[in-house]
Amino acid sequence: MTEDTSGATRGRQRWAARAALAAAALAVLLPLAKGGLSGLLLLAIAFVGAVVTAAAAWWTLTRRGPLRWVAALLAMAAPAAVVTVFALSLLWAVPVSLVLWALAVGTGRYALRGDHPRSRPARERRTPPPRRPFLVMNPRSGGGKVARFGLVEKAERLGARVVLLGPDEQRDVTALARAAVADGADLLGVAGGDGTQALVAAVAAEHGLPFLVVCAGTRNHFAMDLGLDRDDPARCLDALTDGVELRVDLGYAGGHPFVNNASFGAYAAVVQSPAYRDDKIGTILELLPELLTRRVGPRLTARTEGTTLDAPQAVLVSNNPYRTNDPAGIGRRERLDSGLLGVLGIKVDSAAEAAALVLDRASEGLAVLTTREVVVDADQPEIEAGVDGEAMTLPAPVHCRVDPGALRVRVPRKRPGVPDSQPPLNWRRLRELATTAGRTRATRRGVHAEDTARHP
């Protein structure tokens, strides 16, 4: 980038920072100006509404009977009341203020783009197409995507051997994958959920074979972070003829592989219930009160390099860290090849702590860590876990680790890709960009003029 181009970019960022600060100021001042002294009262009402909503949500999850339904009603009524009060008091000022906030967020993120490094795309390797690919497909996964998208027919047309998992039989997919390797398969793949993906991926990693992901599951988080087309699973099969390889990490929890995450605590206990698959919301509401208030379940401890999380209600260990600074990208991972685990721990023991967590993500209730290894222990001999959504009971302590670059994933050369994360809004940095850049340029002009005077 030339100096002129760099200067023009800095100039655009400086003006974007100024626009963001001006729009944010107007978004706050407009309701105050329209409402006068009552505008301050409205801001106080908004704050109280957020606190009441968070506290009511906590009571909804931790209480039973009539109190739960009263709390649930309050959790819905509080934000609705705040919106209604604002709309009746300020009329046109509310939508205009929201537009100004959107402008402030957009221009602020543009201004901070230079401070936020773009995610490094995974290195692609061109390799010859497989000669004897082997695929396991689950016809029930994702509401029947295997049949709906004609995955068996397309895979066989491209030369793959396909084994379907029957609805009434329990087949060991790890054994199927090992048998395929012994029979000469040079690629292993899965059309199904992330739990099945992880089991076959571990066999592929063990034998150094490429692994093919066909996003025929329900959520397909692993496929999403690989940049695959989740709307058309059949496009994943294009990798058999026109594909590239990516090297990604593979996680292990007590020896069990995972491509996404392993969870411990409240959620892991919920997924153990046989009723969870058919009635997720009902099962959650039935089990969470005792789990969140620690009347049942083990007392967990998570130990990483130099940090200990004591008695969290839930711990999530992910194969590479999840995004936490981009609300639009929550649930995504920036990379799959960092060689690190992400660790999220939640500890909330009261409605006040729940409100603090909602108002300030930096509160003590949420721990966000990155590490190569984490040990999850309990005051019981066994720990309930959800490993890529599959319910397990593991002997304590559970040692979680990451195997960097263990998995060769074959993906289509043409695919949607993973969108870049947005930089977090840092208002202090925006003020610096809006003011110091101009002073820096003025200083440089002064130095140049002084040099010219000395050396005409």
Side-chain angles (χ1 to χ4, degrees):
M1 182 181 293
T2 66
E3 184 176 350
D4 289 344
T5 304
S6 177
T9 301
R10 286 197 300 268
R12 287 193 294 269
Q13 290 175 329
R14 180 170 65 253
W15 282 106
R18 292 172 176 172
L21 293 173
L26 287 173
V28 174
L29 293 175
L30 182 61
L32 294 177
K34 177 68 170 62
L37 292 177
S38 63
L40 294 174
L41 178 60
L42 291 175
L43 291 179
I45 290 174
F47 177 82
V48 172
V51 171
V52 170
T53 301
W58 170 257
W59 292 324
T60 301
L61 296 176
T62 57
R63 299 293 189 271
R64 294 185 182 279
L67 182 57
R68 162 178 280 174
W69 301 114
V70 171
L73 181 62
L74 184 59
M76 294 184 290
V82 170
V83 172
T84 301
V85 169
F86 268 71
L88 293 177
S89 302
L90 301 177
L91 299 176
W92 57 267
V94 171
V96 174
S97 183
L98 292 176
V99 170
L100 287 169
W101 269 117
L103 178 63
V105 171
T107 54
R109 284 181 168 168
Y110 175 83
L112 295 170
R113 191 176 300 173
D115 293 353
H116 185 68
R118 296 175 65 87
S119 57
R120 180 179 63 84
R123 181 184 173 189
E124 297 181 354
R125 297 171 176 84
R126 298 300 299 267
T127 57
R131 295 187 302 274
R132 301 190 63 183
F134 171 81
L135 301 180
V136 175
M137 295 192 181
N138 185 351
R140 295 166 295 170
S141 188
K145 288 183 180 179
V146 169
R148 192 159 70 248
F149 289 92
L151 300 182
V152 175
E153 295 77 9
K154 180 172 181 178
E156 291 179 339
R157 194 164 59 248
L158 294 175
R161 177 189 165 207
V162 178
V163 170
L164 291 174
L165 302 178
D168 300 321
E169 59 178 334
Q170 294 292 329
R171 303 188 70 175
D172 187 340
V173 293
T174 299
L176 285 174
R178 293 189 188 282
V181 173
D183 195 39
D186 59 355
L187 176 142
L188 302 178
V190 173
D194 288 326
T196 308
Q197 300 274 3
L199 294 174
V200 178
V203 177
E206 177 186 345
H207 293 276
L209 296 178
F211 177 65
L212 178 67
V213 176
V214 183
C215 44
T218 303
R219 290 175 291 274
N220 303 293
H221 287 298
F222 189 44
M224 174 178 67
D225 293 329
L226 288 168
L228 300 178
D229 187 347
R230 294 187 298 163
D231 295 327
D232 186 2
R235 289 187 59 186
C236 299
L237 294 170
D238 294 342
L240 293 174
T241 54
D242 184 20
V244 294
E245 283 190 12
L246 311 175
R247 277 279 186 179
V248 304
D249 307 332
L250 190 60
Y252 288 89
H256 296 272
F258 60 89
V259 293
N260 289 323
N261 58 62
S263 61
F264 306 89
Y267 173 74
V270 168
V271 299
Q272 305 289 325
S273 171
Y276 178 74
R277 297 297 178 187
D278 297 325
D279 184 13
K280 290 181 172 59
I281 295 178
T283 306
I284 290 172
L285 292 176
E286 175 64 25
L287 299 180
L288 276 187
E290 282 75 20
L291 291 169
L292 293 181
T293 55
R294 307 178 192 277
R295 293 196 292 272
V296 298
R299 181 185 178 92
L300 297 179
T301 302
R303 297 190 302 273
T304 68
E305 302 148 350
T307 303
T308 298
L309 305 181
D310 184 42
Q313 280 111 327
V315 175
L316 182 73
V317 180
S318 59
N319 174 26
N320 285 259
Y322 286 110
R323 294 178 182 174
T324 57
N325 58 5
D326 177 16
I330 290 294
R332 290 183 178 271
R333 288 166 287 184
E334 200 78 47
R335 295 171 56 184
L336 291 171
D337 60 351
S338 70
L340 294 171
L341 296 172
V343 180
L344 297 176
I346 297 178
K347 182 179 181 180
V348 179
D349 290 315
S350 66
E353 291 181 4
L357 182 60
V358 170
L359 295 173
D360 182 9
R361 289 168 55 198
S363 68
E364 295 181 356
L366 176 66
V368 182
L369 308 170
T370 57
T371 183
R372 296 188 183 278
E373 296 182 352
V374 59
V375 176
V376 181
D377 206 348
D379 58 355
Q380 297 180 7
E382 294 183 324
I383 304 178
E384 294 174 328
V387 181
D388 276 340
E390 301 295 327
M392 296 183 182
T393 301
L394 306 176
V398 180
H399 178 215
C400 301
R401 64 180 180 86
V402 63
D403 193 353
L407 188 59
R408 298 167 54 192
V409 181
R410 188 170 180 89
V411 297
R413 184 173 56 84
K414 297 180 180 178
R415 59 193 186 280
V418 180
D420 279 327
S421 64
Q422 295 294 326
L425 281 179
N426 184 329
W427 297 106
R428 179 179 299 176
R429 177 58 181 153
L430 284 174
R431 288 196 299 271
E432 292 175 357
L433 284 173
T435 57
T436 60
R439 290 201 298 268
T440 301
R441 187 175 65 177
T443 302
R444 287 176 178 170
R445 282 202 303 265
V447 171
H448 177 72
E450 185 178 346
D451 289 342
T452 302
R454 289 180 180 177
H455 306 285

